[in-house]
Amino acid sequence: MFIEEISSGKLQRLECTCKGPFTFTCNIKPLEAKQTFQVLAPAFLPDLVEGKLFSKHITFSVNNFHGALWLKVTKVSIVKNSCPGHQFTVKILEEDRDFSIAPGQVRPIKILLDYKNRKETISEEGVCSKIELILKISTSKGQDQKLAINLRSRKLSESFLFTFLDHDGSVQHGAAIAPLKGCDSGICPVLLTLHGTTVPPQNQADSYKRMENGKWVFGIEHLWLLAPTRHGAHNWEGPGELTSMMALKSLAKLIKDAPWIGPQADLDRIIFAGHSMGGHGAWHLGTHYPDHALALVSAAGWIKKEDYGDSNLFFRHDISTSHTSPAVKAILEVCIAENDPDKHVSNLHGIPIMIRIGAADKTVHPYYSRRMFRLLRQQRTNVTYSELPNKEHWWWDTYKTNDGGVVNDPVMRKFAVSHAKNAGTYASAPTCHSDRNGECSDSVGTEKYKYTKGTVDRNIAGNGKFRLSVYNPVASTGLRGVRIMQQIIPFRSNFLVHDIHFDSNHVVMTTENVARLCLKEPAISPVMWQERSVQIDGNQVVMEKDLASEECSFSLCKADGAKSWVPCPGNVPLESEISRGPSNMGPGRRVAERSFLIVTGE
């Protein structure tokens, strides 16, 4: 379908594609002579929490209608405040204050909302359940427009929305719920839950609810709940992955700056969870951040988007396939191989995993969950498989009405809370194939499923043998403190196997297609590298502390033309024109995942 319009004297052509029934309405009206720009309402806003300002970033877009003149937003001010108890200030972020909007273009403008007195405290009498602010947006052409925004006030017992600056400089948002019970250390792990297609972040957070004594209870004991989001069909890969981790980092910083909100959030101890597309996201984040994973929960998750549905088919019905060399196709495919959890399943060894699926799921076939279960069982990972009969893609009631449903019923809560309370330990448990009467039994006997307070170090899970699978070093943060920083042949699979022998205090590794390694201490079950002898590819390695790197305790490089490993020279930067590291590797789509500026002319 093609739509043609005349704008600023030029003919523009827009192409739209759709599937199934489609209705399109187009309204054309003359542009008022005085209306040279338009301010678009924000797509999302932060909430007040217990009447206090928790996060401060707001973004709105400005459309420059003028056909020849550039437009600059010079000032944003508050002209009306419906709640006198809050005295706010507002300012444009520096990068947007100096940026002009081209003719016919739309640009988001980021502003920062704050109190006049940064330490302002609000009395109960001054708390408003809803605040309306009228903003005045002034421009370089001497014109201004007003924009009304409404801020909700949410309770700590409810989900609330917060905003943050993302990895690419944009303002994004997520939902959070404080722990129902605190943690002895004052710092609670985070259950990072990823939503499915079209599900808003607050809906995802609110799915962690249950009915108790006739009242809704939101959240989980001993865990901060975080539900991030990112606009676009990213499937929690690429920008979605980076947004998830930035939301985690931002939430922890916001909580630290607001001690009144409750216990702190632990950045290094995470339970990755998700449903449907978010179930795939949990697989993706778990395989890429295994050293941060207390546990992993994937509900109705598919493995990779190229094999799911009919809208993501890779080269299946593309007419260019008839003209594409298999070698070229291989290059394109290897650029997305980092997003395939089944190719990285070895990285999940030692992590407790819960897989849940409805046997009658018509949206995501149980095959995907069964496949991942088989792969995990092959390497003897601690995995629980739960396939419930007669359940479809989503349900609210598992064993009784409003008991928490697919993501938050007693079985799911018990799994999450047990690993939150035993953070840093590896708990052994029997595997199961189905839930019956709210309990989980193994496939042979009738013994009830119980979570033990495991005291076994994760480093000796499976006799201490791990395999680190990596297709692109950019996409992996390492396993058991070992991270691949550089490959010999880019985008070829690495299999790094290292044995950890606690009795003899040594580590043995064998490598393939690895040129540079980074060794650091994982937050969960530290390895204690300085107390161990390290052998790589049959050679004893001298461990020298890397004082130049904040991320690596020890940087090791493969000597030229040999298999021996030596400390990397201190005069060679980790990422430079002669050394490709995670921050300057491809593929090209990585450019779009960061802030960048295109400069033309002189």
Side-chain angles (χ1 to χ4, degrees), residues 52-114:
K52 299 180 179 67
L53 192 61
F54 180 67
S55 60
K56 304 174 181 180
H57 287 95
I58 296 176
T59 183
F60 57 86
S61 295
V62 176
N63 190 347
N64 183 6
F65 288 146
H66 205 286
L69 300 179
W70 290 64
L71 183 73
K72 181 183 292 186
V73 176
T74 57
K75 184 180 180 181
V76 178
S77 56
I78 299 175
V79 295
K80 182 181 178 181
N81 181 354
S82 67
C83 187
H86 293 261
Q87 296 298 315
F88 293 113
T89 62
V90 62
K91 66 177 182 179
I92 308 173
L93 266 64
E94 192 70 31
E95 61 210 57
D96 290 339
R97 186 184 300 118
D98 299 328
F99 197 96
S100 295
I101 305 170
Q105 298 298 306
V106 180
R107 174 176 170 81
I109 302 296
K110 300 184 288 291
I111 60 175
L112 197 66
L113 188 68
D114 205 346

Side-chain angles (χ1 to χ4, degrees), residues 47-321:
D47 289 330
L48 301 175
V49 183
E50 296 291 350
K52 299 180 179 67
L53 192 61
F54 180 67
S55 60
K56 304 174 181 180
H57 287 95
I58 296 176
T59 183
F60 57 86
S61 295
V62 176
N63 190 347
N64 183 6
F65 288 146
H66 205 286
L69 300 179
W70 290 64
L71 183 73
K72 181 183 292 186
V73 176
T74 57
K75 184 180 180 181
V76 178
S77 56
I78 299 175
V79 295
K80 182 181 178 181
N81 181 354
S82 67
C83 187
H86 293 261
Q87 296 298 315
F88 293 113
T89 62
V90 62
K91 66 177 182 179
I92 308 173
L93 266 64
E94 192 70 31
E95 61 210 57
D96 290 339
R97 186 184 300 118
D98 299 328
F99 197 96
S100 295
I101 305 170
Q105 298 298 306
V106 180
R107 174 176 170 81
I109 302 296
K110 300 184 288 291
I111 60 175
L112 197 66
L113 188 68
D114 205 346
Y115 291 124
K116 282 188 177 180
N117 180 356
R118 289 183 177 271
K119 297 181 180 180
E120 180 175 351
T121 58
I122 309 299
S123 64
E124 291 186 7
E125 293 79 9
V127 173
C128 300
S129 60
K130 188 177 182 180
I131 298 177
E132 182 183 42
L133 299 177
I134 305 296
L135 306 181
K136 184 173 74 171
I137 292 87
S138 305
T139 69
S140 56
K141 303 306 176 186
Q143 298 177 330
D144 55 63
Q145 286 187 23
K146 293 182 179 179
L147 173 67
I149 61 174
N150 293 283
L151 304 178
R152 305 180 305 174
S153 183
R154 304 283 286 178
K155 298 178 181 179
L156 267 177
S157 58
E158 303 172 315
S159 62
F160 59 88
L161 297 177
F162 69 96
T163 56
F164 59 94
L165 277 180
D166 206 354
H167 61 275
D168 57 0
S170 66
V171 175
Q172 300 296 335
H173 71 302
I177 304 178
L180 285 174
K181 292 182 181 179
C183 303
D184 294 338
S185 64
I187 304 176
C188 287
V190 178
L191 191 151
L192 197 162
T193 176
L194 305 177
H195 62 72
T197 305
T198 74
V199 178
Q202 186 166 342
N203 288 22
Q204 179 67 13
D206 286 345
S207 65
Y208 288 81
K209 65 180 179 181
R210 62 187 188 270
M211 183 74 74
E212 290 187 356
N213 300 321
K215 295 182 179 180
W216 287 110
V217 177
F218 294 84
I220 305 179
E221 292 81 358
H222 313 298
L223 282 162
W224 269 99
L225 188 78
L226 169 61
T229 191
R230 175 77 191 204
H231 177 72
H234 49 73
N235 297 300
W236 300 114
E237 302 164 1
E241 171 196 332
L242 298 177
T243 295
S244 299
M245 302 312 291
M246 184 57 72
L248 176 68
K249 182 178 179 180
S250 300
L251 179 65
K253 176 65 167 57
L254 290 168
I255 294 171
K256 186 176 181 180
D257 294 341
W260 48 267
I261 203 169
Q264 301 293 299
D266 195 331
L267 282 168
D268 295 317
R269 290 171 171 82
I270 310 164
I271 296 179
F272 295 108
H275 176 265
S276 192
M277 181 180 77
H280 162 74
W283 290 128
H284 182 74
L285 293 182
T287 54
H288 288 62
Y289 299 86
D291 281 352
H292 297 270
L294 284 177
L296 188 152
V297 180
S298 180
W302 37 266
I303 298 177
K304 51 187 177 181
K305 65 180 182 179
E306 286 73 29
D307 291 342
Y308 168 69
D310 59 355
S311 59
N312 301 305
L313 299 178
F314 181 72
F315 270 90
R316 191 74 56 84
H317 302 302
D318 195 325
I319 59 174
S320 63
T321 305

